[in-house]
Amino acid sequence: DAITCAVIVPTALVHAFVPGHRVEVKFTHLPGYEDFVWMRVAAVTYRQLSRGSGLGCKYQLTVTFDR
């Protein structure tokens, strides 16, 4: 299975998802993913949502997971 989702994070978490790493994910709206499961990060794209720098800046990460 491959799942792509988007999350909004502060500057400090921009590099929280690294391709190749395994993370526990939970998608309560998807059958079979209501509980935490391990998935591998396949791809990540980054988009800055707010201008400026520092702690107030937000980013959208689009992450693709493979099971």
Side-chain angles (χ1 to χ4, degrees):
D1 294 340
I3 297 175
T4 300
C5 66
V7 294
I8 296 174
V9 298
T11 302
L13 295 176
V14 167
H15 299 290
F17 296 100
V18 177
H21 284 188
R22 289 182 64 215
V23 295
E24 283 188 294
V25 296
K26 181 178 181 179
F27 300 100
T28 57
H29 60 289
L30 295 177
Y33 295 91
E34 299 90 353
D35 295 316
F36 283 101
V37 296
W38 286 98
M39 296 190 81
R40 190 165 304 282
V41 177
V44 182
T45 58
Y46 309 89
R47 184 169 67 102
Q48 187 173 354
L49 297 177
S50 58
R51 295 186 183 265
S53 60
L55 298 176
C57 193
K58 300 287 185 191
Y59 290 82
Q60 177 180 312
L61 307 183
T62 303
V63 185
T64 300
F65 297 100
D66 285 331
R67 191 156 191 194

